Amino acid sequence: MSARILVVDDDPHLADLVVMAMRYEGFEAEAVGSGSEAVARVAGHAPDLLVLDIRLPDGSGLETCRRLRRLGHRFPIIFLTAMGRTEDKITGLRSGGDDYLTKPFSLEELIARTHVVLRRTMPADRLSYAGLEIDDGLREVRRDGRLIELSLKEYTLLRYLLANAGRVLTKQQILDHVWESGDGGSEGLLHTYVSYLRRKISDPPLIHTVPRVGYVLRLPRS
């Protein structure tokens, strides 16, 4: 599952650790250090999930959560806090939070809870990875917010690659999925459509050839 994660914590070391762990897991992640920065960032590009510290330099994360909910944002929020009393957790959940993790915490637990919350809240008809988004309900494809026009075959091919992001797909697997029996698929035609997609989804390149095997959709390796 790919999603945009915004981490809100005034401890830059901790925020960097969480962002790196999220990115390693395949999420898009960035961090800000205050509630006001979070509200401003969300206004420009709403995340799929917010990891929110309760103690922030410009006020309580609880109030930041309430403010975001009043503004109509419904993405899930996981609170991070050093306050572990039951009443503190209840207050956080009643403020609009979806989960609550007490410091110190393990990054593995935070990642696991992130997956659980996203499975519960993200629409099943939407896929995203590295700024590339497919919305089956609207039949739209966007890259960093830019609408991309695709033919039906291009859409079907890109969706299959995106649904298997990070996984190498053989040419035959792709042909069987995109070009059904009798639909005229061939390795040459597949290569042509991959070329079309590469031009349309632009930088950074996401569709990579695996020699003598097939293709994989992933970020370029450094």
Side-chain angles (χ1 to χ4, degrees):
M1 183 188 300
S2 181
R4 294 186 301 271
I5 311 294
L6 180 61
V7 179
V8 188
D9 199 302
D10 64 334
D11 181 341
H13 177 66
L14 177 60
D16 286 346
L17 283 177
V18 173
V19 166
M20 284 191 294
M22 292 289 184
R23 289 177 177 171
Y24 185 81
E25 190 68 13
F27 297 122
E28 298 174 54
E30 60 178 335
V32 295
S34 68
S36 58
E37 287 179 281
V39 173
R41 189 64 55 87
V42 164
H45 195 46
D48 296 301
L49 182 141
L50 198 70
V51 177
L52 179 61
D53 190 11
I54 284 185
R55 291 182 176 175
L56 296 172
D58 57 347
S60 169
L62 297 173
E63 182 51 42
T64 298
C65 176
R66 295 187 190 102
R67 183 178 177 187
L68 290 169
R69 294 306 190 219
R70 287 196 300 269
L71 290 170
H73 296 292
R74 294 292 174 260
F75 47 76
I77 294 174
I78 297 178
F79 282 118
L80 299 180
T81 181
M83 300 180 292
R85 298 179 304 169
T86 299
E87 51 266 41
D88 294 323
K89 296 179 181 180
I90 292 173
T91 299
L93 296 173
R94 286 179 174 171
S95 297
D98 296 84
D99 204 348
Y100 195 106
L101 201 55
T102 304
K103 296 178 181 181
F105 60 89
S106 73
L107 290 172
E108 291 81 2
E109 182 178 3
L110 175 58
I111 294 295
R113 290 181 181 234
T114 297
H115 278 292
V116 169
V117 171
L118 286 173
R119 278 198 299 269
R120 196 169 63 230
T121 58
M122 283 189 74
D125 60 356
R126 186 181 131 203
L127 298 171
S128 66
Y129 180 86
L132 178 65
E133 299 182 9
I134 286 183
D135 189 320
D136 284 334
L138 297 176
R139 202 73 173 180
E140 285 185 351
V141 176
R142 294 180 182 272
R143 182 75 191 273
D144 296 324
R146 175 178 60 89
L147 184 64
I148 300 172
E149 297 292 339
L150 298 180
S151 69
L152 178 58
K153 272 290 183 280
E154 289 170 337
Y155 183 94
T156 305
L157 172 57
L158 183 60
R159 193 192 188 288
Y160 187 50
L161 292 168
L162 184 56
N164 292 277
R167 174 187 171 198
V168 176
L169 298 171
T170 67
K171 295 175 184 177
Q172 194 58 54
Q173 284 177 309
I174 299 171
L175 288 170
D176 289 344
H177 183 86
V178 179
W179 284 271
E180 298 176 0
S181 178
D183 199 13
S186 66
E187 290 190 11
L189 190 59
L190 171 58
H191 176 76
T192 298
Y193 273 88
V194 167
S195 298
Y196 293 160
L197 288 177
R198 282 172 170 159
R199 286 198 297 268
K200 290 186 176 184
I201 65 176
S202 65
D203 294 327
L206 290 180
I207 302 175
H208 304 273
T209 301
V210 181
R212 298 183 297 278
V213 180
Y215 300 94
V216 58
L217 189 145
R218 59 165 172 76
L219 285 166
R221 290 173 178 159
S222 56

